[in-house]
């Protein structure tokens, strides 16, 4: 119980420091965090992680995006080509955050064109198409 209390106190301190840092500064990355946090389904922690892990670094080209861990993993064997999902190379934290953001988008923005497209694509329940609620 003592360890749990210690961890909860440390989490509270980190969250308070983050909120104080966001209130003090008005420019640059902090403005992006505030803007992202206004989106339904995105909290301060997710917005902060996305800005610092993905949006703040200068991504010069497609290879830089791949280093962030947001590219597909093709499987080419002979004449057969298929997509195996996201590549596991790159920034795992950023990749997990983007996947969570995509699921939150489907959950909270149900009537958007992108969410409708995904639902129609995943409706046939093919083996290569993952459909989660």
């Amino acid at each position: 119980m003592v360890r749990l209390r210690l961890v909860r106190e440390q989490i509270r301190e980190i969250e308070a420091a983050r909120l104080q840092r966001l209130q003090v500064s008005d420019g640059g990355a902090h403005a992006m965090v505030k803007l992202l946090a206004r989106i339904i389904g995105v909290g301060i922690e997710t917005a902060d992680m996305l800005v610092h892990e993905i949006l703040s670094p200068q991504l010069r080209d497609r290879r830089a995006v791949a280093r962030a861990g947001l590219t597909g993993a093709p499987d080419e064997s002979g004449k057969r080509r298929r997509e195996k999902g996201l590549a596991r190379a790159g920034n795992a934290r950023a990749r997990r955050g983007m996947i969570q953001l995509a699921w939150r988008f489907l959950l909270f923005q149900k009537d958007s064109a992108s969410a409708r497209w995904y639902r129609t694509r995943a409706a046939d329940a093919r083996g290569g198409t993952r459909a989660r609620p």
Side-chain angles (χ1 to χ4, degrees), residues 66 69-77 80-89 95 128:
L70 302 175
T71 59
D75 180 24
E76 298 178 5
S77 177
R80 189 176 75 177
R81 291 183 174 182
R82 63 185 175 146
E83 190 66 33
K84 293 179 67 176
L86 288 177
R88 294 190 185 259
R95 184 174 52 252

Side-chain angles (χ1 to χ4, degrees), residues 44-120:
I44 291 289
E45 292 181 28
T46 303
D48 190 45
M49 183 275 304
L50 288 173
V51 167
H52 288 94
E53 298 284 336
I54 298 173
L55 299 175
S56 288
Q58 297 297 321
L59 301 177
R60 296 184 316 271
D61 54 8
R62 288 185 282 168
R63 289 183 181 172
V65 175
R67 285 189 295 272
L70 302 175
T71 59
D75 180 24
E76 298 178 5
S77 177
K79 294 182 181 180
R80 189 176 75 177
R81 291 183 174 182
R82 63 185 175 146
E83 190 66 33
K84 293 179 67 176
L86 288 177
R88 294 190 185 259
N91 189 338
R93 184 173 177 212
R95 184 174 52 252
R96 284 192 302 266
M98 291 300 291
I99 291 169
Q100 289 176 359
L101 182 63
W103 286 120
R104 287 183 201 156
F105 182 83
L106 289 174
L107 181 67
F108 292 109
Q109 308 285 338
K110 295 176 184 172
D111 297 329
S112 70
S114 299
R116 286 193 308 254
W117 171 83
Y118 176 78
R119 294 202 192 288
T120 57

Side-chain angles (χ1 to χ4, degrees), residues 20-50:
Q20 183 179 10
R21 188 179 68 230
L22 289 174
Q23 290 173 354
V24 170
S25 179
D26 289 329
H30 303 298
M32 285 193 286
V33 171
K34 290 178 182 178
L35 187 63
L36 277 174
R38 290 177 43 198
I39 298 172
I40 296 173
V42 178
I44 291 289
E45 292 181 28
T46 303
D48 190 45
M49 183 275 304
L50 288 173

